[in-house]
Amino acid sequence: MASLPSDEGVAVRWVSAPSDELLFTAEVAAKRLHLRESTLRSWAREGKVPHRRLGRALRFSEGDLQEIVEGAAQPCRAVVAVAIPMPLPRIPRRRSLKR
């Protein structure tokens, strides 16, 4: 396993997969996706995101990261706000305390 210079302050560890695909550690992948590492690990454990296991080590390919981003993209929905005039509720007047 070779280490390369740091990527945004996080050590990048590359591992060669059988297809010679470069893989990221969970720490680096989370940093690139702007997520907490614990969130990414949880999603992987729940099967919500594509990933690979090398023994107990969790790894993500560039394609996995791209799929995560594409899966998170949601179409923009227009929100229309309509102001409906409503009468104000009547507030009872206080009676004066004169006797």
Side-chain angles (χ1 to χ4, degrees):
M1 178 164 49
S3 287
L4 297 175
S6 76
D7 178 14
E8 299 177 24
V10 178
V12 179
R13 292 187 185 157
W14 299 87
V15 179
S16 291
S19 63
D20 289 332
E21 188 175 27
L22 299 176
L23 303 175
F24 297 104
T25 62
E27 180 183 13
V28 175
K31 184 86 169 170
R32 295 188 73 166
L33 294 170
H34 301 282
L35 294 171
R36 294 177 123 191
E37 183 180 352
S38 60
T39 300
L40 188 58
R41 286 182 178 279
S42 175
W43 288 352
R45 183 174 45 255
E46 295 167 6
K48 293 181 178 179
V49 294
H51 63 282
R52 290 162 177 68
R53 289 242 176 232
L54 300 175
R56 293 183 64 194
L58 182 62
R59 297 291 184 257
F60 299 88
S61 69
E62 190 66 46
D64 293 340
L65 300 183
Q66 190 63 36
E67 283 184 49
I68 293 169
V69 169
E70 289 170 2
Q74 297 177 357
C76 181
R77 288 182 266 164
V79 177
V80 178
V82 178
I84 300 172
M86 297 179 66
L88 294 175
R90 293 196 60 164
I91 300 173
R93 297 174 108 195
R94 283 188 161 179
R95 293 185 170 188
S96 70
L97 298 175
K98 291 184 185 176
R99 287 192 185 198

Coordinates of all heavy atoms in Angstrom, one line a residue:
M1 N 0.9 -1.2 0.0 CA 0.0 0.0 0.0 C 0.9 1.2 0.0 O 1.7 1.4 0.9 CB -0.9 -0.1 1.2 CG -1.8 1.1 1.4 SD -3.1 0.9 2.5 CE -2.4 0.2 4.0
A2 N 0.7 2.1 -1.0 CA 1.5 3.3 -1.1 C 0.8 4.5 -0.5 O -0.4 4.6 -0.6 CB 1.9 3.5 -2.6
S3 N 1.6 5.4 0.1 CA 1.0 6.6 0.6 C 1.5 7.8 -0.3 O 2.6 7.8 -0.7 CB 1.4 6.9 2.0 OG 0.8 6.1 2.9
L4 N 0.6 8.6 -0.6 CA 0.9 9.8 -1.4 C 0.8 11.0 -0.6 O 0.4 11.0 0.6 CB -0.1 9.9 -2.6 CG -0.1 8.8 -3.6 CD1 -1.3 9.0 -4.6 CD2 1.2 8.7 -4.3
P5 N 1.3 12.2 -1.1 CA 1.2 13.4 -0.3 C -0.3 13.7 0.2 O -1.2 13.2 -0.4 CB 1.6 14.5 -1.3 CG 2.4 13.8 -2.3 CD 1.8 12.4 -2.4
S6 N -0.4 14.5 1.2 CA -1.7 14.7 1.8 C -2.7 15.4 0.9 O -2.2 16.2 0.0 CB -1.6 15.4 3.1 OG -1.4 16.8 2.9
D7 N -4.0 15.1 1.0 CA -5.0 15.7 0.2 C -5.9 16.5 1.2 O -6.6 15.9 1.9 CB -5.8 14.6 -0.5 CG -7.0 15.1 -1.3 OD1 -7.0 16.3 -1.6 OD2 -7.9 14.3 -1.6
E8 N -5.7 17.8 1.2 CA -6.5 18.7 2.1 C -6.2 18.3 3.5 O -7.1 18.3 4.3 CB -7.9 18.7 1.7 CG -8.3 19.1 0.3 CD -9.7 19.0 0.0 OE1 -10.6 19.0 1.0 OE2 -10.0 18.9 -1.2
G9 N -5.0 18.1 3.9 CA -4.7 17.8 5.3 C -4.9 16.4 5.7 O -4.7 16.0 6.9
V10 N -5.4 15.5 4.8 CA -5.7 14.1 5.2 C -4.8 13.2 4.4 O -4.7 13.4 3.2 CB -7.2 13.8 4.9 CG1 -7.5 12.3 5.2 CG2 -8.1 14.7 5.6
A11 N -4.2 12.3 5.0 CA -3.3 11.4 4.3 C -4.1 10.6 3.3 O -5.1 10.0 3.7 CB -2.5 10.5 5.3
V12 N -3.6 10.5 2.1 CA -4.3 9.8 1.1 C -3.6 8.4 1.0 O -2.4 8.3 0.8 CB -4.1 10.5 -0.3 CG1 -4.8 9.6 -1.4 CG2 -4.7 11.8 -0.2
R13 N -4.4 7.4 1.1 CA -3.8 6.0 1.0 C -4.5 5.4 -0.2 O -5.7 5.3 -0.3 CB -4.1 5.2 2.2 CG -3.3 5.7 3.4 CD -3.4 4.8 4.6 NE -2.7 5.4 5.7 CZ -2.9 5.2 6.9 NH1 -3.8 4.3 7.2 NH2 -2.3 5.8 7.9
W14 N -3.7 5.0 -1.1 CA -4.2 4.4 -2.4 C -3.9 2.9 -2.3 O -2.9 2.4 -1.9 CB -3.5 4.9 -3.6 CG -3.7 6.4 -3.7 CD1 -3.0 7.4 -3.2 CD2 -4.7 7.1 -4.5 NE1 -3.5 8.6 -3.5 CE2 -4.5 8.4 -4.3 CE3 -5.8 6.6 -5.2 CZ2 -5.3 9.4 -4.9 CZ3 -6.6 7.6 -5.8 CH2 -6.4 8.9 -5.7
V15 N -4.9 2.1 -2.7 CA -4.7 0.7 -2.8 C -5.1 0.2 -4.1 O -6.1 0.7 -4.7 CB -5.7 0.0 -1.7 CG1 -5.5 -1.5 -1.8 CG2 -5.4 0.5 -0.3
S16 N -4.3 -0.7 -4.7 CA -4.6 -1.2 -6.0 C -5.7 -2.3 -5.9 O -5.5 -3.2 -5.2 CB -3.4 -1.7 -6.7 OG -2.6 -0.6 -7.1
A17 N -6.8 -2.1 -6.6 CA -7.8 -3.1 -6.7 C -7.4 -4.1 -7.8 O -6.6 -3.8 -8.6 CB -9.2 -2.5 -6.9
P18 N -8.1 -5.2 -7.9 CA -7.8 -6.1 -9.0 C -7.9 -5.5 -10.4 O -7.2 -5.9 -11.3 CB -8.9 -7.2 -8.8 CG -9.3 -7.1 -7.4 CD -9.1 -5.7 -7.0
S19 N -8.7 -4.5 -10.6 CA -8.9 -3.8 -11.9 C -7.9 -2.6 -12.0 O -8.1 -1.8 -12.8 CB -10.3 -3.4 -12.1 OG -10.6 -2.4 -11.1
D20 N -7.0 -2.5 -11.1 CA -6.0 -1.4 -11.0 C -6.7 -0.1 -10.8 O -6.3 1.0 -11.1 CB -5.2 -1.3 -12.3 CG -4.2 -2.4 -12.3 OD1 -3.8 -2.9 -11.3 OD2 -3.8 -2.8 -13.5
E21 N -7.9 -0.2 -10.1 CA -8.7 1.0 -9.7 C -8.1 1.5 -8.4 O -7.9 0.8 -7.5 CB -10.1 0.6 -9.6 CG -11.1 1.8 -9.4 CD -12.5 1.3 -9.4 OE1 -12.8 0.1 -9.0 OE2 -13.4 2.1 -9.7
L22 N -7.9 2.8 -8.3 CA -7.4 3.4 -7.1 C -8.6 3.6 -6.1 O -9.7 4.0 -6.5 CB -6.8 4.8 -7.4 CG -5.6 4.7 -8.3 CD1 -5.1 6.1 -8.6 CD2 -4.5 3.9 -7.7
L23 N -8.3 3.3 -4.8 CA -9.3 3.3 -3.8 C -9.0 4.3 -2.7 O -7.8 4.5 -2.4 CB -9.5 1.9 -3.2 CG -9.9 0.8 -4.2 CD1 -9.9 -0.5 -3.5 CD2 -11.2 1.1 -4.8
F24 N -10.0 5.0 -2.1 CA -9.8 5.9 -1.0 C -10.2 5.3 0.3 O -11.1 4.4 0.3 CB -10.7 7.1 -1.2 CG -10.5 7.9 -2.4 CD1 -11.3 7.8 -3.5 CD2 -9.4 8.8 -2.5 CE1 -11.0 8.6 -4.7 CE2 -9.1 9.5 -3.6 CZ -9.9 9.4 -4.7
T25 N -9.5 5.7 1.4 CA -10.0 5.3 2.7 C -11.3 6.0 3.0 O -11.6 7.0 2.3 CB -8.9 5.7 3.8 OG1 -8.8 7.1 3.8 CG2 -7.6 5.0 3.5
A26 N -12.0 5.5 4.0 CA -13.2 6.1 4.4 C -13.0 7.6 4.9 O -13.8 8.5 4.6 CB -13.9 5.4 5.6
E27 N -11.8 7.8 5.5 CA -11.5 9.2 6.0 C -11.4 10.1 4.8 O -11.9 11.2 4.8 CB -10.2 9.1 6.8 CG -9.7 10.4 7.3 CD -8.4 10.3 8.0 OE1 -7.7 9.3 7.9 OE2 -8.0 11.3 8.7
V28 N -10.6 9.7 3.8 CA -10.4 10.6 2.6 C -11.7 10.7 1.8 O -12.0 11.8 1.4 CB -9.3 10.0 1.7 CG1 -9.1 10.8 0.5 CG2 -8.0 10.0 2.5
A29 N -12.4 9.6 1.6 CA -13.7 9.7 0.9 C -14.7 10.6 1.6 O -15.3 11.5 0.9 CB -14.3 8.3 0.8
A30 N -14.8 10.6 2.9 CA -15.7 11.5 3.6 C -15.3 12.9 3.4 O -16.1 13.8 3.3 CB -15.7 11.1 5.1
K31 N -14.0 13.2 3.5 CA -13.5 14.5 3.3 C -13.8 15.0 1.9 O -14.3 16.2 1.8 CB -12.0 14.5 3.5 CG -11.3 15.9 3.5 CD -11.3 16.5 4.8 CE -10.5 17.7 4.8 NZ -10.6 18.5 6.0
R32 N -13.7 14.2 0.9 CA -14.0 14.6 -0.5 C -15.5 14.9 -0.7 O -15.9 15.7 -1.5 CB -13.5 13.6 -1.5 CG -11.9 13.5 -1.4 CD -11.5 12.7 -2.5 NE -11.6 13.4 -3.8 CZ -11.1 13.1 -4.9 NH1 -10.3 12.0 -5.0 NH2 -11.3 13.8 -6.0
L33 N -16.3 14.1 0.1 CA -17.8 14.3 -0.1 C -18.3 15.3 0.9 O -19.5 15.6 0.9 CB -18.4 12.9 0.2 CG -18.2 11.8 -0.8 CD1 -18.7 10.5 -0.3 CD2 -18.8 12.2 -2.1
H34 N -17.5 15.9 1.7 CA -17.9 16.9 2.7 C -18.9 16.3 3.7 O -19.9 16.8 4.0 CB -18.4 18.2 2.1 CG -17.4 18.8 1.2 ND1 -16.4 19.6 1.7 CD2 -17.3 18.9 -0.1 CE1 -15.7 20.1 0.7 NE2 -16.2 19.6 -0.4
L35 N -18.6 15.0 4.2 CA -19.4 14.3 5.1 C -18.5 14.0 6.3 O -17.3 14.0 6.3 CB -19.9 13.0 4.5 CG -20.9 13.1 3.4 CD1 -21.1 11.7 2.8 CD2 -22.2 13.6 3.9
R36 N -19.2 13.6 7.4 CA -18.4 13.0 8.6 C -18.1 11.6 8.2 O -18.9 10.9 7.6 CB -19.3 13.1 9.8 CG -19.6 14.4 10.3 CD -20.5 14.4 11.5 NE -19.8 15.1 12.5 CZ -20.2 15.0 13.8 NH1 -21.2 14.3 14.2 NH2 -19.6 15.7 14.7
E37 N -16.9 11.2 8.7 CA -16.5 9.8 8.4 C -17.5 8.8 9.0 O -17.8 7.8 8.4 CB -15.1 9.6 9.0 CG -14.5 8.2 8.7 CD -13.1 8.0 9.2 OE1 -12.5 9.0 9.7 OE2 -12.7 6.9 9.2
S38 N -18.0 9.1 10.2 CA -18.9 8.2 10.8 C -20.2 8.1 10.0 O -20.8 7.0 10.0 CB -19.3 8.7 12.2 OG -19.8 10.0 12.2
T39 N -20.7 9.1 9.3 CA -21.9 9.1 8.5 C -21.6 8.1 7.3 O -22.4 7.3 7.0 CB -22.2 10.5 8.0 OG1 -22.5 11.3 9.1 CG2 -23.4 10.4 7.1
L40 N -20.5 8.3 6.7 CA -20.1 7.5 5.5 C -20.0 6.0 5.9 O -20.5 5.1 5.2 CB -18.8 8.0 4.9 CG -18.5 7.4 3.5 CD1 -19.6 7.6 2.5 CD2 -17.2 8.0 3.0
R41 N -19.4 5.8 7.0 CA -19.2 4.4 7.5 C -20.6 3.8 7.8 O -20.8 2.6 7.5 CB -18.3 4.3 8.7 CG -16.8 4.5 8.4 CD -16.0 4.4 9.7 NE -14.6 4.5 9.4 CZ -13.8 3.6 8.9 NH1 -14.4 2.4 8.7 NH2 -12.6 3.8 8.6
S42 N -21.4 4.6 8.4 CA -22.8 4.1 8.8 C -23.6 3.8 7.5 O -24.2 2.7 7.4 CB -23.5 5.2 9.6 OG -24.8 4.8 9.8
W43 N -23.5 4.6 6.5 CA -24.2 4.4 5.2 C -23.7 3.1 4.6 O -24.5 2.4 4.0 CB -24.1 5.6 4.3 CG -24.9 6.8 4.7 CD1 -25.8 6.9 5.7 CD2 -24.8 8.1 4.1 NE1 -26.3 8.2 5.8 CE2 -25.7 8.9 4.8 CE3 -24.1 8.6 3.1 CZ2 -25.9 10.2 4.5 CZ3 -24.3 10.0 2.8 CH2 -25.2 10.8 3.5
A44 N -22.4 2.9 4.6 CA -21.8 1.7 4.0 C -22.3 0.5 4.8 O -22.6 -0.5 4.2 CB -20.3 1.8 4.1
R45 N -22.3 0.5 6.1 CA -22.7 -0.6 6.9 C -24.2 -0.9 6.6 O -24.6 -2.1 6.6 CB -22.6 -0.3 8.4 CG -22.9 -1.4 9.3 CD -22.6 -1.1 10.8 NE -23.0 0.3 11.3 CZ -22.1 1.3 11.5 NH1 -20.8 1.1 11.2 NH2 -22.5 2.4 11.9
E46 N -25.0 0.1 6.4 CA -26.4 -0.1 6.1 C -26.7 -0.4 4.6 O -27.8 -0.7 4.2 CB -27.2 1.1 6.4 CG -27.2 1.4 7.9 CD -27.7 2.8 8.3 OE1 -28.2 3.5 7.4 OE2 -27.6 3.2 9.5
G47 N -25.6 -0.4 3.8 CA -25.8 -0.7 2.4 C -26.4 0.4 1.5 O -26.8 0.2 0.4
K48 N -26.3 1.6 2.0 CA -26.9 2.7 1.3 C -26.0 3.3 0.3 O -26.4 4.1 -0.6 CB -27.3 3.9 2.3 CG -28.4 3.5 3.3 CD -28.7 4.7 4.2 CE -29.8 4.3 5.1 NZ -30.1 5.5 6.0
V49 N -24.7 3.0 0.4 CA -23.7 3.6 -0.6 C -22.8 2.5 -1.1 O -22.5 1.5 -0.4 CB -22.9 4.7 0.0 CG1 -23.7 5.9 0.4 CG2 -22.1 4.2 1.3
P50 N -22.3 2.6 -2.4 CA -21.4 1.6 -2.9 C -20.1 1.7 -2.2 O -19.6 2.8 -1.9 CB -21.3 2.0 -4.4 CG -21.7 3.4 -4.5 CD -22.7 3.6 -3.3
H51 N -19.5 0.6 -1.9 CA -18.1 0.5 -1.3 C -17.5 -0.8 -1.5 O -18.1 -1.7 -2.1 CB -18.3 0.8 0.2 CG -19.1 -0.2 0.9 ND1 -20.5 -0.2 0.9 CD2 -18.8 -1.2 1.7 CE1 -20.9 -1.2 1.6 NE2 -19.9 -1.8 2.1
R52 N -16.3 -1.0 -1.0 CA -15.6 -2.3 -1.1 C -15.0 -2.5 0.3 O -14.7 -1.6 1.0 CB -14.5 -2.2 -2.1 CG -15.0 -2.1 -3.5 CD -13.8 -1.6 -4.4 NE -14.2 -1.6 -5.8 CZ -15.1 -0.8 -6.4 NH1 -15.8 0.1 -5.6 NH2 -15.4 -0.8 -7.6
R53 N -14.9 -3.8 0.6 CA -14.2 -4.2 1.8 C -12.9 -5.0 1.4 O -13.0 -5.9 0.6 CB -15.1 -5.1 2.6 CG -16.2 -4.3 3.3 CD -16.1 -4.4 4.8 NE -17.1 -3.6 5.4 CZ -16.8 -2.7 6.3 NH1 -15.6 -2.5 6.7 NH2 -17.8 -2.0 6.8
L54 N -11.8 -4.6 2.0 CA -10.6 -5.4 1.8 C -10.3 -5.9 3.2 O -9.7 -5.2 4.0 CB -9.5 -4.5 1.3 CG -9.7 -3.8 -0.1 CD1 -8.6 -2.9 -0.4 CD2 -9.9 -4.9 -1.1
G55 N -10.7 -7.1 3.5 CA -10.7 -7.6 4.8 C -11.7 -6.8 5.7 O -12.8 -6.8 5.3
R56 N -11.2 -6.2 6.7 CA -12.1 -5.3 7.5 C -12.0 -3.9 7.1 O -12.7 -3.0 7.6 CB -11.6 -5.4 9.0 CG -11.9 -6.8 9.5 CD -11.6 -6.9 11.0 NE -12.4 -6.0 11.7 CZ -12.2 -5.6 13.0 NH1 -11.1 -6.1 13.6 NH2 -13.0 -4.8 13.6
A57 N -11.1 -3.5 6.1 CA -10.9 -2.2 5.7 C -12.0 -1.8 4.7 O -12.3 -2.5 3.8 CB -9.5 -2.0 5.0
L58 N -12.5 -0.6 4.9 CA -13.5 0.0 4.0 C -12.9 0.9 3.0 O -12.1 1.8 3.4 CB -14.5 0.8 4.9 CG -15.7 1.4 4.3 CD1 -16.6 0.4 3.6 CD2 -16.5 2.2 5.3
R59 N -13.2 0.7 1.7 CA -12.6 1.5 0.7 C -13.6 2.0 -0.3 O -14.7 1.3 -0.5 CB -11.5 0.7 -0.1 CG -10.3 0.3 0.8 CD -9.5 1.5 1.2 NE -8.3 1.1 2.0 CZ -8.2 1.2 3.3 NH1 -9.2 1.7 4.0 NH2 -7.1 0.8 3.9
F60 N -13.4 3.1 -1.0 CA -14.3 3.7 -1.9 C -13.5 4.1 -3.2 O -12.4 4.7 -3.1 CB -14.9 5.0 -1.4 CG -15.7 4.7 -0.2 CD1 -15.2 4.7 1.1 CD2 -17.1 4.4 -0.3 CE1 -15.9 4.5 2.2 CE2 -17.8 4.2 0.9 CZ -17.3 4.2 2.1
S61 N -14.0 3.7 -4.4 CA -13.4 4.1 -5.6 C -13.9 5.4 -6.0 O -14.9 5.9 -5.5 CB -13.7 3.0 -6.7 OG -15.1 3.1 -7.0
E62 N -13.3 6.0 -7.0 CA -13.7 7.3 -7.6 C -15.2 7.1 -8.1 O -16.0 8.0 -8.0 CB -12.8 7.8 -8.7 CG -13.1 9.2 -9.2 CD -12.8 10.2 -8.1 OE1 -11.7 10.2 -7.4 OE2 -13.6 11.1 -7.9
G63 N -15.4 5.9 -8.8 CA -16.8 5.6 -9.3 C -17.8 5.5 -8.2 O -18.9 6.0 -8.3
D64 N -17.4 5.0 -7.0 CA -18.3 4.9 -5.9 C -18.7 6.3 -5.4 O -19.8 6.6 -5.1 CB -17.6 4.1 -4.7 CG -17.4 2.6 -5.0 OD1 -18.1 2.1 -5.9 OD2 -16.6 2.1 -4.3
L65 N -17.7 7.1 -5.3 CA -17.9 8.5 -4.8 C -18.8 9.2 -5.8 O -19.8 10.0 -5.4 CB -16.6 9.3 -4.7 CG -15.6 8.7 -3.7 CD1 -14.4 9.6 -3.6 CD2 -16.2 8.5 -2.3
Q66 N -18.6 9.0 -7.1 CA -19.5 9.6 -8.1 C -20.9 9.1 -8.0 O -21.9 9.9 -8.1 CB -19.0 9.4 -9.5 CG -19.6 10.2 -10.6 CD -19.4 11.6 -10.5 OE1 -18.4 12.1 -10.0 NE2 -20.4 12.4 -10.8
E67 N -21.1 7.8 -7.7 CA -22.5 7.3 -7.6 C -23.1 7.9 -6.3 O -24.3 8.1 -6.3 CB -22.4 5.8 -7.4 CG -22.2 5.0 -8.7 CD -22.2 3.5 -8.6 OE1 -23.2 3.1 -7.9 OE2 -21.3 2.9 -9.0
I68 N -22.4 8.1 -5.3 CA -22.9 8.7 -4.0 C -23.4 10.1 -4.3 O -24.5 10.5 -3.9 CB -21.9 8.6 -2.9 CG1 -21.6 7.2 -2.5 CG2 -22.3 9.5 -1.7 CD1 -20.3 7.1 -1.6
V69 N -22.6 10.8 -5.0 CA -23.0 12.2 -5.4 C -24.2 12.2 -6.3 O -25.2 13.0 -6.0 CB -21.8 13.0 -6.0 CG1 -22.3 14.3 -6.6 CG2 -20.7 13.2 -5.0
E70 N -24.2 11.4 -7.3 CA -25.4 11.3 -8.2 C -26.6 10.8 -7.5 O -27.7 11.3 -7.8 CB -25.1 10.4 -9.4 CG -24.0 11.1 -10.3 CD -23.5 10.1 -11.4 OE1 -24.0 8.9 -11.4 OE2 -22.7 10.5 -12.2
G71 N -26.5 9.9 -6.6 CA -27.6 9.4 -5.8 C -28.2 10.4 -4.9 O -29.4 10.4 -4.5
A72 N -27.3 11.3 -4.4 CA -27.8 12.4 -3.5 C -28.4 13.5 -4.2 O -29.2 14.3 -3.6 CB -26.6 12.9 -2.6
A73 N -28.2 13.7 -5.5 CA -28.8 14.8 -6.2 C -30.3 14.6 -6.3 O -30.8 13.6 -6.6 CB -28.1 14.9 -7.6
Q74 N -31.0 15.7 -6.0 CA -32.4 15.7 -6.1 C -32.9 16.8 -7.0 O -32.3 17.9 -7.0 CB -33.0 15.9 -4.7 CG -32.7 14.8 -3.8 CD -33.3 15.1 -2.4 OE1 -33.9 16.1 -2.2 NE2 -33.0 14.1 -1.5
P75 N -33.9 16.6 -7.8 CA -34.4 17.7 -8.7 C -34.9 18.8 -7.8 O -35.5 18.6 -6.8 CB -35.5 17.0 -9.5 CG -35.9 15.8 -8.7 CD -34.7 15.4 -7.9
C76 N -34.7 20.0 -8.3 CA -35.2 21.2 -7.6 C -36.7 21.3 -7.8 O -37.2 21.2 -8.9 CB -34.5 22.4 -8.2 SG -35.0 23.9 -7.3
R77 N -37.4 21.5 -6.7 CA -38.9 21.6 -6.8 C -39.2 23.1 -6.4 O -38.7 23.6 -5.5 CB -39.6 20.7 -5.7 CG -39.5 19.3 -6.2 CD -40.2 18.4 -5.2 NE -39.2 18.0 -4.2 CZ -39.5 17.5 -3.0 NH1 -40.7 17.3 -2.6 NH2 -38.5 17.1 -2.2
A78 N -40.0 23.7 -7.3 CA -40.4 25.1 -7.0 C -41.5 25.1 -5.9 O -42.4 24.3 -5.8 CB -41.1 25.6 -8.3
V79 N -41.3 26.0 -5.0 CA -42.2 26.2 -3.9 C -43.0 27.5 -4.2 O -42.3 28.6 -4.4 CB -41.5 26.3 -2.6 CG1 -42.5 26.6 -1.5 CG2 -40.7 25.0 -2.3
V80 N -44.3 27.4 -4.2 CA -45.1 28.6 -4.5 C -45.8 29.0 -3.2 O -46.5 28.2 -2.6 CB -46.1 28.3 -5.6 CG1 -47.0 29.6 -5.8 CG2 -45.4 27.9 -6.9
A81 N -45.5 30.2 -2.8 CA -46.2 30.7 -1.6 C -47.3 31.6 -2.0 O -47.2 32.5 -2.8 CB -45.2 31.5 -0.7
V82 N -48.5 31.4 -1.4 CA -49.7 32.2 -1.7 C -50.1 32.9 -0.5 O -50.3 32.2 0.5 CB -50.8 31.3 -2.3 CG1 -52.0 32.1 -2.6 CG2 -50.3 30.6 -3.6
A83 N -50.3 34.1 -0.5 CA -50.8 34.9 0.6 C -52.3 35.0 0.5 O -52.8 35.5 -0.4 CB -50.2 36.3 0.6
I84 N -52.9 34.4 1.6 CA -54.4 34.5 1.6 C -54.8 35.4 2.7 O -54.5 35.3 3.8 CB -55.0 33.1 1.9 CG1 -54.5 32.1 0.8 CG2 -56.5 33.1 2.0 CD1 -54.9 30.6 1.2
P85 N -55.5 36.5 2.3 CA -55.9 37.5 3.3 C -56.9 36.9 4.2 O -57.9 36.2 3.8 CB -56.6 38.6 2.5 CG -56.9 38.0 1.2 CD -56.0 36.9 0.9
M86 N -56.7 37.0 5.5 CA -57.6 36.5 6.5 C -57.9 37.6 7.5 O -57.1 38.4 7.8 CB -56.9 35.3 7.3 CG -56.6 34.1 6.4 SD -55.8 32.8 7.3 CE -57.1 32.3 8.4
P87 N -59.1 37.6 8.0 CA -59.5 38.7 9.0 C -58.7 38.4 10.3 O -58.5 37.3 10.7 CB -61.0 38.5 9.2 CG -61.3 37.1 8.7 CD -60.2 36.8 7.7
L88 N -58.3 39.5 10.9 CA -57.6 39.4 12.2 C -58.6 38.9 13.3 O -59.8 39.4 13.3 CB -57.0 40.7 12.6 CG -55.9 41.2 11.7 CD1 -55.4 42.5 12.1 CD2 -54.7 40.2 11.7
P89 N -58.2 38.2 14.2 CA -59.1 37.8 15.3 C -59.5 39.0 16.2 O -58.6 39.8 16.4 CB -58.4 36.7 16.1 CG -56.9 37.0 15.7 CD -56.9 37.6 14.4
R90 N -60.7 39.0 16.7 CA -61.1 40.1 17.6 C -60.5 39.8 18.9 O -60.6 38.7 19.5 CB -62.6 40.1 17.7 CG -63.2 40.6 16.3 CD -64.6 41.0 16.5 NE -64.5 42.1 17.4 CZ -65.5 42.9 17.6 NH1 -66.6 42.8 17.0 NH2 -65.5 43.9 18.5
I91 N -59.9 40.8 19.5 CA -59.3 40.7 20.8 C -60.2 41.5 21.8 O -60.5 42.7 21.5 CB -57.9 41.3 20.9 CG1 -57.0 40.5 19.9 CG2 -57.3 41.2 22.3 CD1 -55.6 41.0 19.7
P92 N -60.8 40.9 22.8 CA -61.7 41.6 23.7 C -60.9 42.7 24.4 O -59.8 42.6 24.8 CB -62.2 40.6 24.7 CG -61.3 39.4 24.5 CD -60.6 39.5 23.2
R93 N -61.6 43.9 24.5 CA -61.0 45.0 25.2 C -61.1 44.8 26.7 O -62.0 44.2 27.2 CB -61.8 46.3 24.9 CG -61.8 46.6 23.4 CD -62.7 47.8 23.2 NE -61.9 49.0 22.9 CZ -62.4 50.2 23.0 NH1 -63.7 50.4 23.3 NH2 -61.6 51.2 22.7
R94 N -60.0 45.3 27.4 CA -60.0 45.2 28.8 C -61.0 46.2 29.4 O -61.1 47.4 28.9 CB -58.6 45.5 29.3 CG -57.7 44.4 29.2 CD -56.4 44.8 29.9 NE -55.6 43.6 30.1 CZ -54.5 43.6 30.7 NH1 -54.0 44.8 31.1 NH2 -53.8 42.5 30.9
R95 N -61.7 45.8 30.4 CA -62.6 46.8 31.0 C -61.8 47.6 32.0 O -60.8 47.1 32.6 CB -63.7 46.0 31.8 CG -64.6 45.3 30.9 CD -65.7 44.7 31.7 NE -66.7 44.3 30.8 CZ -67.9 43.8 31.2 NH1 -68.2 43.8 32.5 NH2 -68.8 43.4 30.3
S96 N -62.1 48.8 32.1 CA -61.4 49.7 33.1 C -61.8 49.2 34.5 O -62.9 48.7 34.8 CB -61.7 51.1 32.8 OG -63.1 51.4 33.2
L97 N -61.0 49.5 35.4 CA -61.2 49.1 36.8 C -61.8 50.2 37.6 O -61.7 50.3 38.8 CB -59.8 48.7 37.4 CG -59.2 47.5 36.8 CD1 -57.8 47.3 37.4 CD2 -60.0 46.3 36.9
K98 N -62.5 51.1 37.0 CA -63.2 52.2 37.7 C -64.4 51.7 38.4 O -65.1 50.9 37.9 CB -63.6 53.3 36.7 CG -62.5 54.1 36.1 CD -63.1 55.1 35.3 CE -62.1 55.9 34.5 NZ -62.6 56.9 33.6
R99 N -64.6 52.2 39.7 CA -65.8 51.8 40.4 C -66.6 53.0 40.9 O -66.3 54.0 41.2 CB -65.4 51.0 41.7 CG -64.9 49.6 41.2 CD -64.8 48.8 42.4 NE -64.2 47.5 41.9 CZ -64.3 46.4 42.6 NH1 -64.8 46.4 43.7 NH2 -63.8 45.4 42.1

